[in-house]
Amino acid sequence: MPQDTPGESGAGTRRGPSSSPPEPDAGSERPVGLTQDAGWEIGVSKTLPHPPSVVWDFISGDEGIAIWLGPGAELHREKGATYETDDGATGEIRGYRPGDRIRLTHRLPGSATDTTIQVAVSRARSGEKAVLRFHQERLADEAERAAQREHWKRVMAHLADALG
């Protein structure tokens, strides 16, 4: 996936859906973060000084879930299982691969549409380190993408602090 800045992924020059903003002039680039299939998206990643199993156990446990998804959420491993956070955000598990990734829908209270969030853990290229990635797609527009970029950066910092 093309890189916006270190640790953040975007969409580069992929074409957007017909419901997205007007097509740019011929030869100009599509806004970063706008894709054909998933609309606006944002990705944030960080290499952490812990083995992947330690990071996975934390982010898939109650304390980690409360940090990245919200307090009160209980995630069940079965596809189709639903969740609700204390603040009223709701969603459904779309995929759960232990030790690898969780993919789910997410709808904030008052929102008419779902976004899709994926959290993934992989082994870094060097040493016993892990790469933690958050990716969110189907965002409403560029403003929501910018807001979620800041949100996921704060979440990542909080998770890194909690892991020590």
Side-chain angles (χ1 to χ4, degrees):
M1 179 172 289
Q3 295 293 310
D4 295 19
T5 58
E8 177 189 342
S9 62
T13 60
R14 290 183 256 174
R15 299 287 176 195
S18 60
S19 62
S20 57
E23 286 291 323
D25 294 332
S28 66
E29 289 191 15
R30 194 66 149 149
V32 171
L34 183 58
T35 69
Q36 179 175 349
D37 297 329
W40 290 96
E41 65 177 12
I42 186 63
V44 176
S45 65
K46 183 171 183 68
T47 300
L48 300 168
H50 305 284
S53 62
V54 169
V55 175
W56 176 262
D57 289 346
F58 186 75
I59 62 124
S60 64
D62 292 342
E63 185 180 355
I65 291 168
I67 293 171
W68 69 265
L69 189 55
E74 291 184 30
L75 293 185
H76 301 281
R77 296 177 178 202
E78 305 85 37
K79 187 174 181 177
T82 60
Y83 71 88
E84 183 171 359
T85 66
D86 289 348
D87 70 359
T90 59
E92 178 180 303
I93 302 296
R94 294 301 175 106
Y96 193 107
R97 293 194 303 200
D100 182 43
R101 70 190 65 232
I102 302 168
R103 187 168 174 86
L104 48 81
T105 63
H106 187 70
R107 182 179 296 201
L108 294 173
S111 177
T113 60
D114 292 338
T115 64
T116 300
I117 297 171
Q118 180 169 281
V119 57
V121 178
S122 60
R123 182 170 307 282
R125 290 185 181 163
S126 62
E128 272 296 300
K129 297 178 183 177
V131 178
L132 177 59
R133 292 181 177 86
F134 287 95
H135 183 262
Q136 189 171 15
E137 58 191 40
R138 305 199 183 287
L139 300 169
D141 54 30
E142 195 168 12
E144 185 178 19
R145 180 185 187 271
Q148 289 306 104
R149 176 178 183 253
E150 294 308 311
H151 167 76
W152 290 116
K153 287 168 67 177
R154 285 189 306 273
V155 165
M156 190 70 79
H158 191 171
L159 287 167
D161 287 346
L163 278 161

